[in-house]
C-alpha cells in the first residue's frame, strides 16, 4: 500500500528512511523542509500501526504537551496522557499534514552498500540512496527466554507485544514475567479477572504519583534530565547508559503498592522450566495456566549487510551517525545519545540534530 507520493522504486534518492513511526516521521519533516528527495518505508499497513497493535488500554507516560512532533502540537489537554490509539491517529495525521512520502506495507528485507550508495530491497523492489536513516525503533524483535518453548503445551503464552486484553487468557492463574512498566500495568489489569502472580524485581520507582500534578511539576524535570544530563557526552550519562540498557526502567504509573493492593502476588525471577512448569526460587510454580512474557525486546538488524554493529548487536555510532559508514544513520534507539533517545521528546531532538548532519547527495526535489 502506498501513502501519498512514494516516488515508486526508481531513481536515486538523497535519503531513504526505514521505519515510518515517530522517528521516521520526525526526520522526514526536516528532510522535507530541506527540499530533499527522500522516501520513508514502513512495514505496517497503516501509519501508526506499531502503536495500534499494543494492548488495548495502553496510555503514554509523557503528557500530551511533550508528545507532538516538529511543527504540529499534539491536540487536546496538554496535561493529559494520550492513549496509544490517539498517538497512532496523530502520527497518521502528521504524515498527511506535511505530505510526507511514506510507502506502507513495505518491509525492508536487505540493506547493503554498493558502489558508494546504499541499496534496500523488499519483495522484488529496490531503492538506491546516498543516505539511509534506520528508524525502525527499539521494539522490533520480542525477547523470550530460551526455555519458554518448554512450558506445557496447555499453557497460554503471550509476549507483551501480543497481549491485547484479558480476553485472550484462559481460566486459571496468570504468571507475568518481568516487573518493568509493561509487566506492572498488564499484571494490574489482568488481576481484575484472574489470580495473578508477577515475577521479577523492579528497577526502581518514580517517587511521586503519576498524573496531572506530576505532568505539571515533576515530569518537566525528568524530561530535562533525560535529554540534557544523562547523555553520552557526560560522565554521568556514560555511566548510566549500560545500566539503563541492562535493567528495566523505573516503574512510573503502576507501583509495587498498587500491585499489592490489587492482590498480585510477587515471586522472584523465573529461572527455567521443569516438567512443563516455570521454575521460581528453585521450585516449579504450580497451577499456572497463562504466562505473559514482559521481557522486553532485542536489537534486530540482521537485514543490514554491514559490519557496523558491536558484539552486543548495537550499532557503532555517535549521536546516530554510524562510525566508518558515511551516510548511514540511526534514530529512535534506546540511549542512542541520551536516556530519552527512544521517547518522543528525545526522538524530536535527535532528528533535528541528525537532519543537520545528513549530506546532500542529489539535487533538491
Amino acid at each position: 500500500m502506498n501513502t501519498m507520493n512514494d516516488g515508486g522504486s526508481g531513481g536515486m534518492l538523497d535519503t531513504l528512511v526505514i521505519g515510518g513511526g515517530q522517528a521516521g516521521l520526525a526526520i522526514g519533516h526536516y528532510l522535507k523542509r530541506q527540499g530533499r528527495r527522500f522516501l520513508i518505508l514502513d512495514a505496517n499497513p497503516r501509519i501508526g500501526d506499531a502503536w495500534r497493535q499494543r494492548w488495548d488500554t495502553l496510555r503514554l507516560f509523557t503528557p500530551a504537551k511533550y508528545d507532538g512532533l516538529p511543527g504540529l502540537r499534539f491536540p487536546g489537554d496538554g496535561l493529559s496522557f494520550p492513549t496509544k490509539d490517539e498517538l497512532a491517529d496523530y502520527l497518521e495525521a502528521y504524515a498527511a499534514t506535511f505530505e510526507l512520502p511514506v510507502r506502507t506495507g513495505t518491509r525492508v528485507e536487505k540493506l547493503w552498500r554498493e558502489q558508494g550508495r546504499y541499496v534496500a530491497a523488499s519483495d522484488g523492489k529496490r531503492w538506491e540512496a546516498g543516505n539511509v536513516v534506520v528508524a525502525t525503533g527499539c521494539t522490533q524483535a520480542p525477547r523470550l527466554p530460551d526455555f519458554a518453548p518448554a512450558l506445557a503445551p496447555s499453557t497460554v503464552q503471550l509476549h507483551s507485544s501480543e497481549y491485547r486484553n484479558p480476553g485472550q487468557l484462559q481460566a486459571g492463574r496468570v504468571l507475568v514475567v518481568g516487573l518493568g512498566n509493561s509487566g506492572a500495568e498488564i499484571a494490574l489489569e489482568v488481576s481484575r479477572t484472574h489470580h495473578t502472580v508477577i515475577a521479577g524485581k523492579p528497577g526502581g520507582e518514580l517517587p511521586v504519583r503519576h498524573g496531572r500534578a506530576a505532568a505539571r511539576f515533576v515530569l518537566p524535570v525528568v524530561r530535562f534530565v533525560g535529554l540534557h544530563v544523562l547523555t553520552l557526552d557526560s560522565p554521568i550519562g556514560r555511566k548510566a547508559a549500560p545500566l539503563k540498557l541492562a535493567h528495566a526502567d523505573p516503574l512510573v504509573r503502576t507501583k509495587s503498592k498498587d500491585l499489592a493492593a490489587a492482590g498480585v502476588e510477587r515471586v522472584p525471577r523465573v529461572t527455567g522450566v521443569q516438567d512443563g512448569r516455570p521454575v521460581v526460587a528453585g521450585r516449579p510454580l504450580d497451577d499456572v495456566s497463562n504466562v505473559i512474557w514482559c521481557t522486553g525486546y532485542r536489537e534486530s538488524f540482521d537485514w543490514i549487510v554491514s559490519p557496523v554493529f558491536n558484539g552486543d548487536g548495537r550499532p557503532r555510532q555517535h549521536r546516530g551517525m554510524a562510525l566508518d559508514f558515511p551516510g548511514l544513520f540511526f534514530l529512535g534507539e534506546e540511549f542512542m545519545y541520551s536516556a530519552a533517545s527512544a521517547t518522543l521528546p528525545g526522538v524530536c531532538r535527535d532528528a533535528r540534530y541528525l537532519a543537520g548532519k545528513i549530506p546532500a547527495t542529489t539535487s533538491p526535489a
Side-chain angles (χ1 to χ4, degrees):
M1 175 182 176
N2 299 345
T3 302
M4 292 157 266
N5 177 19
D6 69 12
S9 59
M12 179 74 170
L13 295 164
D14 176 274
T15 303
L16 180 67
V17 179
I18 302 175
Q22 58 264 27
L25 298 179
I27 194 73
H29 171 81
Y30 289 113
L31 295 173
K32 182 74 177 285
R33 284 176 54 181
Q34 294 172 1
R36 304 291 189 104
R37 176 174 165 77
F38 73 100
L39 176 63
I40 302 172
L41 300 180
D42 191 70
N44 290 302
R46 182 180 170 192
I47 295 170
D49 275 354
W51 285 96
R52 291 187 187 91
Q53 293 162 3
R54 304 294 297 277
W55 74 85
D56 294 348
T57 59
L58 175 63
R59 283 184 174 271
L60 276 64
F61 292 133
T62 50
K65 64 179 179 177
Y66 295 144
D67 294 333
L69 296 184
L72 185 66
R73 68 180 295 273
F74 200 95
D77 181 356
L79 296 179
S80 67
F81 298 92
T83 68
K84 51 102 177 183
D85 289 325
E86 288 171 340
L87 178 58
D89 292 345
Y90 167 82
L91 295 178
E92 191 170 48
Y94 184 88
T97 298
F98 293 105
E99 298 183 326
L100 299 180
V102 183
R103 183 183 178 98
T104 54
T106 305
R107 181 178 298 279
V108 173
E109 298 157 354
K110 186 177 179 182
L111 174 71
W112 70 97
R113 191 163 172 80
E114 178 181 291
Q115 298 180 349
R117 65 189 185 280
Y118 291 94
V119 183
S122 173
D123 193 26
K125 300 182 179 66
R126 55 184 275 155
W127 293 268
E128 299 180 6
N131 306 294
V132 170
V133 179
V134 178
T136 49
C138 50
T139 59
Q140 294 300 305
R143 181 190 292 121
L144 291 169
D146 294 339
F147 51 77
L151 284 174
S154 59
T155 305
V156 170
Q157 289 193 65
L158 297 170
H159 186 267
S160 59
S161 61
E162 302 169 303
Y163 173 79
R164 300 292 178 268
N165 56 63
Q168 295 170 283
L169 306 176
Q170 61 186 345
R173 203 179 193 190
V174 178
L175 172 64
V176 177
V177 181
L179 189 41
N181 282 294
S182 295
E185 299 220 341
I186 289 173
L188 184 63
E189 177 173 271
V190 170
S191 70
R192 300 183 185 115
T193 55
H194 293 71
H195 178 197
T196 304
V197 179
I198 190 164
K201 183 179 180 181
E205 300 188 2
L206 188 71
V208 298
R209 183 178 181 84
H210 186 266
R212 294 180 65 86
R216 186 185 298 275
F217 301 111
V218 178
L219 297 184
V221 177
V222 174
R223 174 179 178 270
F224 179 84
V225 171
L227 283 172
H228 304 292
V229 178
L230 298 179
T231 76
L232 295 180
D233 285 341
S234 71
I236 188 173
R238 289 191 293 271
K239 184 177 181 179
L243 297 175
K244 187 177 190 303
L245 293 171
H247 301 284
D249 289 336
L251 299 182
V252 176
R253 181 183 289 119
T254 301
K255 314 290 180 58
S256 297
K257 64 180 182 181
D258 300 318
L259 296 174
V264 177
E265 181 184 351
R266 287 270 301 276
V267 296
R269 69 187 184 95
V270 176
T271 58
V273 173
Q274 180 179 324
D275 299 327
R277 295 172 294 171
V279 173
V280 172
R283 296 184 301 177
L285 193 64
D286 293 326
D287 302 323
V288 172
S289 301
N290 309 271
V291 174
I292 304 175
W293 299 103
C294 297
T295 44
Y297 298 82
R298 60 178 175 79
E299 303 284 358
S300 180
F301 295 118
D302 52 0
W303 47 276
I304 300 180
V305 183
S306 167
V308 71
F309 303 101
N310 294 320
D312 60 2
R314 287 177 59 80
R316 295 195 309 276
Q317 55 83 31
H318 175 68
R319 295 207 67 170
M321 297 176 285
L323 303 181
D324 306 319
F325 285 86
L328 181 60
F329 303 87
F330 292 86
L331 182 61
E333 297 297 314
E334 284 284 359
F335 226 122
M336 190 186 77
Y337 172 64
S338 74
S341 281
T343 68
L344 284 156
V347 159
C348 294
R349 191 270 303 277
D350 292 348
R352 183 174 65 249
Y353 177 85
L354 276 189
K357 300 295 182 180
I358 299 175
T361 59
T362 68
S363 299

